[in-house]
Amino acid sequence: MTTTPEKLLEIGIKKRNREIIDSWSSLAEDFSEGMFSDGEQYRLWVKNRLRTQDKNKNQLTSITENFKESIEINKDGSQSSNKLIKMSIEDSKDVNYLLKAHGYNPDLWELISARSNIWNSYSKKDGIMQLYASKISVKPKKDKLSIESIRSMFKEMSDNYIRPTHNPIRYSKNGMMLEVSIADIHLGKLAWQGDSNDTYNWEIARERFFHIINDVLTRTQAYKFEKILFCWSNDFFHYDGLTKTTTGGTPQDTDLKFAQMYKIGTNMLVEAVDILSQFAPVETFYVGANHDKLTSYVATEHLAAWYRNDPNVTVDTDPKIRKYVEFGKCLIQFSHGHAEGKRIGEVMPVEAREAWGRTIYHEVHAGHFHSEKTVTKDNGVIVRYLNSPTGTDTWHFESAYIGALKVGQAFIWDKELGLLDAIYTTVE
């Protein structure tokens, strides 16, 4: 059997360490297969190999010690990380592996670029190792929620929430329709008296939200409703995603981390639907707005999953930003009002052509401007921009968008007679 150079070196090291009593000459004769003419040549060969290895080890150790790991945080929120990482070529192509190796959660960060260079290193424990000098650039993920975090929140809520048992007590098959529209609550907004002349936080938002609902239900005790229309998705959340900006990327002042805002918000919505559905079957839906287009949509899906087996609650998860509700001779368009401009009252006959032909009373209910304004279009459509119960933040104060009443609104609809009454709930 042929003895390899590695085996010859191993035997020579044992001889130097006095683990073998045989002479160098006998070892060369027995194992070198003519590679060495005598024992002295074998001994010198082992000595030189070990000297070369020690030199390489010292060089590798010096290289490793001189490598400087670094993290850079850039003005735009992106970061760069430079580390020595033990990995394979396949690992160097795996985005999630690289993010985790550099200490970034793949649910929260996305990879912009990556570069890996092979380094060799030495340690007494592992000997000579092949490492990679890995440099990556990352940025926070926008407009994306962690599926695991949403699943965890949903399960926690499902395990702990005590759901009231009820049958609607003001329901009538041929009754009227109650529309509860709470526009622009902006859960998560932070306003400070010192620089905005107002105080607002998530606790105030929650208090106002339920005050409006309870006030409306109290003031409509004389009515029996066929259904309650619950419109909440008009900037219900103050920002959209992990970077605390609107959907379009504008930074916002907030008193809540994203997971807190989402958890508190979905709990508020479930509680609100449970309250309303004690009086009549509830229909709710998604309206795309400029502060929380994604987060409100995910919250709508959350409601749909929560009430999937409840015959008294209907949740429309259609992702289109405008919705139409037909009730007898009434057709109502729900929009946030930030995108359509002057066209907001002109799309109804096109988008809801058949319902338009069946109905007489046509209205658009929108938010966005935080103050009430009514416009009648040439085609007879009434556009109502609704008040908001939210606080005044620094940007609105400095821009002089002040003075609007903090009000929630609700409407009572009759199938034959159209809009019968509007209810205003002043929260301040």
Side-chain angles (χ1 to χ4, degrees):
M1 179 174 129
T2 303
T3 305
T4 63
E6 288 75 16
K7 185 65 177 177
L8 283 172
L9 181 61
E10 180 184 342
I11 294 170
I13 291 172
K14 289 182 178 180
K15 171 62 180 173
R16 285 171 59 92
N17 293 336
R18 298 180 180 179
E19 297 176 23
I20 297 176
I21 61 174
D22 295 352
S23 66
W24 284 101
S25 297
S26 62
L27 291 175
E29 183 179 346
D30 292 341
F31 296 105
S32 74
E33 298 178 346
M35 183 175 175
F36 306 112
S37 59
D38 55 37
E40 181 63 12
Q41 187 180 11
Y42 181 25
R43 185 186 70 80
L44 291 173
W45 177 83
V46 172
K47 180 179 179 181
N48 290 333
R49 284 290 297 266
L50 291 176
R51 184 180 296 166
T52 301
Q53 275 194 3
D54 287 340
K55 182 179 179 181
N56 289 339
K57 289 175 184 177
N58 292 333
Q59 287 177 344
L60 291 171
T61 301
S62 176
I63 289 171
T64 304
E65 289 174 349
N66 290 332
F67 186 89
K68 301 297 182 183
E69 294 190 352
S70 63
I71 294 179
E72 297 178 22
I73 301 176
N74 306 312
K75 290 182 179 180
D76 62 357
S78 64
Q79 297 186 13
S80 299
S81 173
N82 195 17
K83 293 183 71 173
L84 273 179
I85 298 174
K86 186 178 181 180
M87 61 182 177
S88 65
I89 294 177
E90 289 73 22
D91 292 335
S92 70
K93 301 173 185 177
D94 186 328
V95 172
N96 286 341
Y97 184 91
L98 288 174
L99 287 170
K100 291 177 181 178
H102 282 264
Y104 294 99
N105 186 338
D107 288 334
L108 306 181
W109 296 86
E110 61 180 299
L111 188 69
I112 301 174
S113 62
R115 185 178 65 201
S116 301
N117 297 318
I118 295 177
W119 283 56
N120 288 317
S121 177
Y122 169 78
S123 71
K124 291 182 179 179
K125 178 182 178 181
D126 300 313
I128 298 175
M129 297 182 297
Q130 183 172 287
L131 302 178
Y132 282 81
S134 175
K135 183 173 183 179
I136 65 171
S137 295
V138 298
K139 63 181 180 181
K141 283 187 174 180
K142 292 184 178 180
D143 302 336
K144 186 167 184 178
L145 297 175
S146 164
I147 298 300
E148 285 304 317
S149 64
I150 294 174
R151 184 181 291 117
S152 176
M153 289 179 195
F154 192 91
K155 184 179 185 304
E156 180 185 351
M157 186 175 172
S158 179
D159 290 343
N160 299 316
Y161 183 76
I162 301 175
R163 184 178 178 185
T165 56
H166 62 269
N167 290 308
I169 60 175
R170 285 197 222 155
Y171 168 70
S172 173
K173 185 176 181 180
N174 296 309
M176 297 175 186
M177 180 175 73
L178 174 63
E179 174 196 337
V180 180
S181 285
I182 304 179
D184 296 279
I185 193 75
H186 286 271
L187 177 68
K189 176 193 284 189
L190 179 64
W192 175 52
Q193 184 75 27
D195 63 7
S196 69
N197 204 34
D198 197 4
T199 300
Y200 193 73
N201 54 38
W202 75 265
E203 292 169 309
I204 295 173
R206 189 182 192 284
E207 181 182 358
R208 292 180 182 181
F209 182 76
F210 286 106
H211 174 70
I212 293 167
I213 292 172
N214 290 321
D215 182 66
V216 170
L217 292 173
T218 300
R219 293 164 63 183
T220 57
Q221 292 183 54
Y223 294 94
K224 287 193 174 182
F225 298 113
E226 183 173 322
K227 64 181 175 182
I228 296 175
L229 208 58
F230 180 38
C231 182
W232 55 272
S233 179
N234 269 305
D235 282 345
F236 178 80
F237 298 100
H238 188 49
Y239 63 91
D240 206 14
L242 301 168
T243 54
K244 297 181 175 64
T245 67
T246 65
T247 306
T250 304
Q252 300 297 304
D253 293 330
T254 179
D255 62 335
L256 291 175
K257 292 184 178 296
F258 183 76
Q260 292 175 309
M261 182 182 71
Y262 182 81
K263 184 176 181 178
I264 291 169
T266 50
N267 273 270
M268 285 171 58
L269 292 172
V270 167
E271 186 176 345
V273 171
D274 276 348
I275 292 171
L276 294 170
S277 63
Q278 292 181 63
F279 298 90
V282 172
E283 291 184 13
T284 191
F285 46 84
Y286 165 77
V287 172
N290 62 310
H291 271 250
D292 65 344
K293 189 174 182 180
L294 175 68
T295 310
S296 273
Y297 178 75
V298 176
T300 307
E301 291 284 3
H302 187 114
L303 290 177
W306 188 265
Y307 290 105
R308 64 193 182 278
N309 297 320
D310 191 331
N312 287 323
V313 180
T314 302
V315 183
D316 179 1
T317 60
D318 190 315
K320 289 191 286 292
I321 67 170
R322 287 185 294 277
K323 297 295 185 298
Y324 294 90
V325 175
E326 184 178 358
F327 183 70
K329 296 179 180 178
C330 311
L331 181 62
I332 316 161
Q333 172 189 324
F334 293 89
S335 306
H336 185 58
H338 67 293
E340 299 92 345
K342 295 181 179 180
R343 300 178 301 278
I344 191 169
E346 300 170 1
V347 296
M348 182 186 287
V350 179
E351 289 186 330
R353 191 183 306 274
E354 293 183 2
W356 171 271
R358 291 190 296 264
T359 52
I360 299 173
Y361 309 103
H362 303 129
E363 291 203 8
V364 176
H365 289 185
H368 187 58
F369 294 104
H370 297 194
S371 61
E372 185 179 22
K373 180 174 66 173
T374 303
V375 179
T376 302
K377 294 291 186 176
D378 292 340
N379 58 11
V381 174
I382 297 173
V383 180
R384 297 182 188 273
Y385 291 95
L386 308 184
N387 281 309
S388 165
T390 194
T392 302
D393 59 15
T394 306
W395 183 86
H396 282 86
F397 180 78
E398 292 179 349
S399 303
Y401 291 119
I402 56 177
L405 298 176
K406 293 175 172 56
V407 173
Q409 288 164 262
F411 304 89
I412 299 174
W413 294 89
D414 184 275
K415 285 184 176 180
E416 297 296 324
L417 302 176
L419 182 61
L420 286 188
D421 203 356
I423 301 169
Y424 290 73
T425 303
T426 303
V427 296
E428 188 180 61

